[in-house]
Amino acid sequence: MDKETIHYLPAYDELLISYKDKKAILTDEYYKRVMVSSDACNPFIISNGKAAGGRRKVTNRSGKLFIEANLFESLSTKQSKLQKDAFSIMTSFFK
């Protein structure tokens, strides 16, 4: 692959819910961790066109917002940097 990408996508993102067959993006192994039903999904992380994990917003007692990422598999060094960049973009969106 020429360019690696990681994106934080919202619940109900059309990338997953628009297609009946989700196997190009999401394996059977992780289906239940992302999909709530056949037409609803949890917020998720996508890496190079494939679902790479779930995510959720968490607020600590002092009110500071965090994004908790639950990755399905370990990321490469480059993917880890991309994930941190995507995380920064997502957290700045919620400020």
Side-chain angles (χ1 to χ4, degrees):
M1 180 168 280
D2 293 344
K3 184 176 179 181
E4 293 190 45
T5 60
I6 290 190
H7 299 284
Y8 280 43
L9 298 178
Y12 303 103
D13 189 81
E14 63 271 5
L15 182 66
L16 278 181
I17 62 174
S18 297
Y19 299 99
K20 185 175 182 176
D21 183 3
K22 298 164 179 32
K23 290 181 182 175
I25 301 163
L26 184 62
T27 64
D28 291 338
E29 180 180 3
Y30 303 125
Y31 185 90
K32 289 183 180 180
R33 292 175 68 184
V34 174
M35 299 303 298
V36 176
S37 66
S38 63
D39 61 350
C41 64
N42 290 310
F44 65 105
I45 301 167
I46 193 159
S47 174
N48 302 326
K50 303 276 186 187
R55 66 167 183 83
R56 66 184 187 125
K57 292 188 292 183
V58 178
T59 306
N60 68 10
R61 290 183 183 177
S62 65
K64 186 171 181 178
L65 175 72
F66 294 91
I67 304 295
E68 183 179 89
N70 298 304
L71 299 171
F72 301 147
E73 298 174 7
S74 298
L75 299 176
S76 69
T77 303
K78 184 174 183 179
Q79 287 174 319
S80 291
K81 185 195 178 313
L82 292 170
Q83 191 265 344
K84 288 177 184 173
D85 293 344
F87 176 84
S88 294
I89 292 168
M90 179 60 68
T91 54
S92 67
F93 174 77
F94 287 116
K95 288 183 180 179

